[in-house]
């Protein structure tokens, strides 16, 4: 297992909303160890050399090509990161696994196939398998000798996955489960050997099974014709009296939802990392093109509106990168704090559940940053952006799926608030005392505030205030709707957006502060510019979302009072974000790539 310099204390999941951490407590890409960097480098080199040159063949579904590339990746140890060493994997720490996912994402179809196999296809056995199941499957899944798929969705049950119709009944001789039903949109289904399948025992008890391709009654439909990730396999799967050995029940009867949701939790976190890799790649491609293509006698990259796009792509990528590595660092720290626990995988699952809010943020924010980046890349390419021969058209199409699978972004937005409320009610997260304290502060009226001092002091204040704004609007919404808040989805969405922005703002700020402390202001100038531009605009977004929520919750004098409080917490000094972005664009231009790699 790779080692790394870690901050000292692991924050509780979601606690970023009510606590302030120190820069040195936040893991950043600058803290990656040499071992971790090597893992990232191996993954990137493999995809660049072995996969990208074959992208056109992969997009045509050349028979056997994707599985053979996955197997090659397996031989290099790129599939077994989630598998413990005793079962033939490399048992990577979360930070290394995150870097691996990020670097593999150069070609989206490969990333999706990798995730379908090594993430959601393999991890259910790692976390929930019996000793026999682990010994039978994991060593072969870790090396790519066997490839895996995860079968949860059905034609009528995607987001609403517990509404599955696939049934399992025990055969009269008690030796087999007999499965009947259909799964839909199964990644890797065209070639996988092992399938994690969810079905209801006796049509009622949602459960999970390990199904092999060779089992009688198992069949696979034709490849779906998709908008993007055309190099990946997506098929329906049919079970017609499919006979599954009794011992292939995974976990317990009626506890399939525990398997499904815990695994999706991991999948969501990783999806953010894949999106981060995709965003960096498309920024590099667009930056290079902006230098090469001329219009009106000069390179596109010299036009302010193009520079602004390149800068914003880098800034949002910086924000998502700061969040994802911070979260990965917290997960590893929490794991090492539980170092003596007898069952490491059970412990890891608990830790991943602890950071479920951060995982949903990774998924939503990552997929939306990538969507933004590919869209602007097409714009920078102009008419050629619309041609399939140029790389950005594919990136544009490939990006779109990320907002849909692993729980749609709507479902994840709802989950963020649902999970926070649950943690608040159980006392795991002190949101209620924090809201009460804020109410006291509001009642006490505006206090004399000393002018902010030093670099990033204004940004520090903006982060603190963003959290207060969330508590203000969430408190008002909970007070009005109480247990019925979940029915007010637009309000929940507005609250969720504030949560995400607060995490993005603080993660961006802490990374910039840590960079300044480590390397000095001059060497960190562009990174600080990116953080400042991001925080300034994010604070606007927080204010807007809070105003939307408050206006739906209160009216008359009460609303006016709350909006006055909102104004107080949203007050800030103007910042010349155009100048900041010009400097970030210059940093992009220097290397024709994302300028904060490993920093
Ligand atoms: C290329 C591809 C690969 C996939 N790979 C896999 C795989 O390997 N394994 C697997 O099991 N599945 C896979 N899926 C399925 C994927 O997870 C589902 O498509 C996804 O969960 C959404 O379900 P749905 O398509 O039924 O959409 P629906 O659930 O019908 O949703 C449609 C829209 O309604 C919204 N919506 C639904 N419910 C609510 C609600 N309660 N509140 C607010 N809005 C709501 C959604 O957010 C969405 O915008 C894949 C899908 C695709 C396209």
């Amino acid at each position: 297992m790779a080692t790394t310099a870690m901050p000292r204390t692991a924050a509780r999941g979601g606690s970023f909303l009510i606590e302030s951490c120190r820069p040195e407590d936040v893991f950043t890409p600058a803290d990656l160890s040499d071992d971790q960097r090597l893992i990232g480098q191996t993954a990137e080199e493999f995809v660049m050399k072995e996969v990208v040159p074959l992208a056109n063949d992969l997009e045509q579904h050349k028979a056997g090509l994707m599985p053979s590339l996955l197997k090659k990746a397996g031989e290099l140890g790129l599939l077994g990161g989630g598998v413990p060493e005793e079962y033939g994997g490399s048992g990577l720490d979360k930070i290394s696994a995150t870097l691996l996912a990020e670097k593999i994402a150069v070609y989206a179809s490969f990333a999706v196939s990798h995730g379908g196999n090594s993430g959601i296809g393999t991890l259910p056995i790692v976390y929930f398998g019996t000793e026999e199941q682990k010994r039978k499957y994991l060593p072969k899944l870790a090396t790519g000798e066997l490839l895996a798929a995860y079968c949860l969705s059905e034609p009528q049950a995607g987001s609403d996955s517990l509404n599955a119709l696939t049934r399992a009944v025990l055969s009269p001789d008690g030796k087999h489960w007999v499965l009947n039903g259909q799964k839909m949109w199964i990644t890797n289904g065209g070639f996988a050997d092992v399938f994690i399948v969810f079905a209801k025992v006796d049509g009622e008890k949602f459960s999970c099974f390990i199904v092999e391709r060779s089992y009688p009654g198992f069949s696979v439909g034709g490849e779906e014709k998709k908008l993007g990730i055309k190099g990946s396999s997506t098929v329906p799967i049919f079970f017609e009296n499919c006979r599954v050995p009794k011992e292939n029940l995974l976990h317990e009867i009626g506890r399939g939802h525990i398997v499904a949701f815990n695994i999706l939790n991991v999948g969501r976190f990783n999806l953010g990392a894949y999106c981060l890799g995709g965003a960096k790649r498309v920024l590099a491609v667009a930056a290079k093109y902006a230098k090469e293509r001329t219009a009106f006698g000069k390179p596109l990259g010299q036009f302010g509106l193009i520079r602004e796009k390149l800068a914003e792509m880098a800034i949002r990528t910086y924000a998502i990168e700061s969040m994802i590595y911070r979260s990965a660092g917290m997960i590893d720290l929490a794991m090492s704090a539980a170092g003596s626990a007898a069952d490491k995988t059970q412990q890891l699952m608990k830790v991943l559940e602890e950071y479920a809010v951060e995982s949903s943020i990774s998924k939503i924010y990552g997929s939306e940053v990538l969507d933004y980046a590919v869209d602007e890349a097409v714009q920078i390419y102009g008419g050629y952006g619309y041609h399939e021969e140029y790389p950005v058209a594919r990136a544009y199409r490939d990006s779109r799926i990320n907002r849909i699978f692993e729980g749609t972004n709507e479902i994840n937005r709802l989950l963020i608030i649902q999970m926070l409320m649950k943690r608040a009610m159980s006392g795991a997260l002190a949101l209620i005392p924090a809201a009460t304290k804020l109410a006291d502060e509001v009642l006490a009226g505006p206090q004399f505030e000393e002018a902010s001092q030093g670099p990033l002091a204004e940004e520090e204040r903006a982060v603190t205030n963003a959290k207060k704004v969330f508590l203000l609007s969430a408190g008002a919404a909970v007070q009005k709707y109480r247990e019925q808040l979940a029915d007010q989805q637009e309000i929940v969405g507005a609250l969720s957006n504030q949560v995400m922005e607060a995490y993005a703002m603080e993660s961006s700020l802490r990374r910039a502060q840590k960079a300044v402390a480590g390397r000095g202001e001059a060497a960190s100038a562009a990174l600080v510019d990116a953080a400042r531009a991001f925080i300034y605009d994010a604070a606007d977004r927080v204010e807007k979302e809070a105003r939307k929520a408050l206006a739906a919750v209160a009216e008359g004098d009460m609303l006016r009072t709350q909006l006055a409080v909102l104004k107080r917490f949203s007050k800030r000094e103007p910042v010349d974000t155009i100048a900041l972005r010009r400097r970030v664009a210059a940093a992009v231009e220097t290397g024709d790539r994302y300028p904060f790699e490993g920093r």
Side-chain angles (χ1 to χ4, degrees):
M1 194 179 281
T3 55
T4 184
M6 296 294 299
R8 277 173 287 152
T9 48
R12 297 293 308 265
S15 66
F16 63 89
L17 285 166
I18 51 173
E19 288 168 8
S20 178
C21 61
R22 301 169 307 172
E24 59 268 36
D25 289 338
V26 171
F27 187 88
T28 73
D31 304 316
L32 288 166
S33 69
D34 289 345
D35 283 356
Q36 288 165 336
R37 286 174 205 264
L38 188 64
I39 289 165
Q41 197 186 324
T42 309
E44 188 167 20
E45 277 174 14
F46 173 77
V47 179
M48 290 306 287
K49 282 191 193 146
E50 306 281 343
V51 182
V52 171
L54 300 174
N56 286 339
D57 286 343
L58 286 164
E59 301 270 309
Q60 304 298 322
H61 282 295
K62 188 172 171 189
L65 187 54
M66 183 59 90
S68 75
L69 288 170
L70 283 169
K71 283 174 196 295
K72 247 187 189 174
E75 285 158 19
L76 280 176
L78 297 174
L79 300 186
V83 177
E85 282 165 319
E86 64 261 42
Y87 301 107
S90 49
L92 288 183
D93 57 85
K94 192 68 184 168
I95 293 166
S96 302
T98 302
L99 188 64
L100 191 151
E102 183 204 316
K103 297 304 173 192
I104 261 183
V106 172
Y107 175 53
S109 290
F110 188 74
V112 168
S113 312
H114 181 269
N117 176 76
S118 309
I120 56 179
T122 298
L123 295 179
I125 303 179
V126 175
Y127 296 154
F128 296 97
T130 60
E131 189 55 28
E132 293 73 40
Q133 288 169 342
K134 289 181 188 179
R135 296 244 165 258
K136 178 171 180 194
Y137 292 108
L138 293 181
K140 291 181 180 173
L141 288 169
T143 56
E145 193 180 333
L146 290 178
L147 296 173
Y150 177 85
C151 312
L152 177 62
S153 305
E154 299 189 2
Q156 79 299 337
S159 304
D160 187 13
S161 55
L162 298 185
N163 184 30
L165 295 178
T166 302
R167 291 168 62 101
V169 291
L170 203 55
S171 61
D173 62 7
K175 288 187 178 160
H176 289 90
W177 292 103
V178 180
L179 266 59
N180 278 289
Q182 181 190 342
K183 294 290 168 180
M184 187 73 190
W185 301 296
I186 303 309
T187 299
N188 295 348
F191 53 76
D193 310 286
V194 178
F195 296 77
I196 303 298
V197 178
F198 294 87
K200 284 185 177 164
V201 169
D202 300 331
E204 283 175 6
K205 289 160 259 173
F206 196 72
S207 308
C208 185
F209 302 86
I210 306 171
V211 179
E212 294 184 25
R213 194 179 196 89
S214 58
Y215 290 167
F218 175 96
S219 66
V220 167
E223 287 291 341
E224 303 292 354
K225 293 185 173 49
K226 304 187 297 262
L227 171 69
I229 53 165
K230 288 172 187 274
S232 70
S233 164
T234 313
V235 295
I237 296 203
F238 305 96
F239 306 93
E240 259 184 278
N241 293 323
C242 177
R243 289 166 71 80
V244 177
K246 187 173 178 236
E247 61 273 17
N248 278 26
L249 172 77
L250 188 62
H251 201 41
E252 295 161 26
I253 294 174
R255 304 275 290 163
H257 60 289
I258 302 290
V259 182
F261 298 146
N262 275 294
I263 294 305
L264 285 177
N265 224 349
V266 188
R268 280 169 194 156
F269 185 87
N270 294 347
L271 190 135
Y274 290 124
C275 289
L276 168 63
K280 286 184 181 178
R281 169 79 176 154
V282 82
L283 172 58
V285 167
K288 197 157 175 286
Y289 186 79
K291 212 173 244 179
E292 288 163 0
R293 169 83 173 166
T294 56
F296 300 96
K298 55 181 182 177
L300 296 179
Q302 288 183 17
F303 295 113
L305 287 177
I306 299 296
R307 294 171 72 80
E308 190 175 43
K309 291 182 196 307
L310 292 170
E312 188 58 15
M313 288 160 83
I315 288 167
R316 293 193 196 187
T317 304
Y318 168 80
I320 184 69
E321 183 178 53
S322 306
M323 280 193 274
I324 286 178
Y325 281 96
R326 174 184 179 184
S327 303
M330 293 191 304
I331 291 170
D332 276 344
L333 193 61
M335 276 305 289
S336 61
S340 57
D343 190 335
K344 274 273 194 196
T345 49
Q346 290 305 313
Q347 192 56 37
L348 177 59
M349 234 171 43
K350 268 199 196 133
V351 169
L352 292 170
E353 206 179 329
E354 175 75 26
Y355 298 108
V357 167
E358 285 80 357
S359 292
S360 285
I361 294 177
S362 167
K363 195 270 171 184
I364 302 173
Y365 221 104
S367 60
E368 293 179 4
V369 164
L370 180 57
D371 257 9
Y372 168 80
V374 295
D375 186 69
E376 289 294 40
V378 169
Q379 197 64 17
I380 291 170
Y381 263 72
Y384 292 111
Y386 225 64
H387 284 225
E388 284 294 342
E389 301 94 275
Y390 291 83
V392 293
R394 186 160 72 213
Y396 183 86
R397 289 186 287 94
D398 286 351
S399 173
R400 192 61 186 81
I401 185 60
N402 295 303
R403 282 164 53 203
I404 298 174
F405 58 16
E406 307 271 3
T408 66
N409 284 15
E410 290 75 23
I411 295 294
N412 272 286
R413 280 187 160 86
L414 301 176
L415 276 175
I416 286 175
I417 298 303
Q418 190 185 315
M419 292 186 291
L420 284 172
M421 293 304 158
K422 201 169 145 202
R423 289 174 73 77
M425 297 318 284
S426 72
L429 190 65
L431 272 176
I432 299 167
T436 310
K437 188 165 164 247
L438 180 73
D440 292 343
E441 183 185 335
V442 169
L443 276 178
Q447 306 291 304
F448 171 73
E449 284 184 45
E450 283 195 23
S452 305
Q453 299 288 331
L456 294 167
E458 261 299 312
E459 287 70 25
E460 184 74 59
R461 205 158 64 93
V463 170
T464 305
N465 282 340
K467 297 179 189 183
K468 289 182 182 174
V469 167
F470 165 72
L471 286 176
L472 174 77
S473 48
V478 171
Q479 248 180 6
K480 171 147 184 194
Y481 291 107
R482 299 191 180 272
E483 289 77 25
Q484 273 70 50
L485 179 59
D487 299 333
Q488 305 296 321
Q489 287 197 347
E490 302 92 320
I491 298 175
V492 172
L495 297 177
S496 212
N497 289 341
Q498 294 173 59
V499 171
M500 291 192 286
E501 294 295 359
Y503 194 52
M505 290 165 79
E506 189 178 65
S507 305
S508 300
L509 175 64
R510 295 287 173 259
R511 180 171 168 198
Q513 290 167 326
K514 197 170 180 180
V516 170
R519 290 195 313 277
E521 270 181 62
S524 315
L527 194 146
V528 169
D529 289 338
R532 293 186 66 206
F534 180 82
I535 291 167
Y536 191 80
D537 285 359
D540 274 348
R541 295 193 288 269
V542 170
E543 185 185 356
K544 184 167 165 246
E545 294 291 335
R547 199 181 311 115
K548 180 165 92 174
L550 288 171
V553 167
E555 53 191 355
D557 284 347
M558 175 60 88
L559 176 58
R560 269 186 284 280
T561 307
Q562 282 175 334
L563 291 181
V565 177
L566 173 62
K567 198 168 170 194
R568 179 178 143 198
F569 290 135
S570 305
K571 201 174 72 186
R572 58 195 181 279
E573 294 298 317
V575 170
D576 181 359
T577 55
I578 292 179
L580 295 177
R581 285 194 171 78
R582 283 183 182 165
R583 293 199 292 266
V584 174
V588 171
E589 202 176 78
T590 304
D592 289 334
R593 64 201 292 259
Y594 174 66
F596 311 124
E597 187 69 41
R599 296 176 51 193

